[in-house]
Amino acid sequence: MRNIKITLSNFSTIELDKLKNEIKRSKSEIIKLAIESYLAQQKKIKLQKAVEMMASEYENDSKLTEFTVLDSEDFL
């Protein structure tokens, strides 16, 4: 694990100190959890955009939906 130096505003530092004392966790742990949460949120946003793009493409490309009618047929 690499050490990273970050700079926070005075307000953020004060709030981080308050939170640290309230939840009995280290500042490093709080920052780590915040970053992990942010990265997960960004990944979710990227996936949602990809889904929206694919849905739009699926709706507008007849070649992708040619066999949709077969989905409801019974092949037995």
Side-chain angles (χ1 to χ4, degrees), residues 16-30:
L16 184 57
D17 281 331
K18 287 180 190 176
L19 183 60
K20 174 187 80 123
N21 293 329
E22 286 175 22
I23 66 173
K24 307 286 190 259
R25 294 194 177 202
S26 70
K27 289 185 217 179
S28 292
E29 188 174 1
I30 295 168

Side-chain angles (χ1 to χ4, degrees), residues 13-56:
T13 302
I14 291 167
E15 293 300 308
L16 184 57
D17 281 331
K18 287 180 190 176
L19 183 60
K20 174 187 80 123
N21 293 329
E22 286 175 22
I23 66 173
K24 307 286 190 259
R25 294 194 177 202
S26 70
K27 289 185 217 179
S28 292
E29 188 174 1
I30 295 168
I31 293 168
K32 177 184 168 213
L33 291 170
I35 291 171
E36 288 172 350
S37 175
Y38 179 80
L39 293 174
Q41 178 186 14
Q42 292 304 307
K43 184 175 183 179
K44 186 176 178 181
I45 290 168
K46 278 180 157 178
L47 287 172
Q48 184 62 38
K49 286 179 182 178
V51 166
E52 290 169 3
M53 183 184 77
M54 289 173 65
S56 174

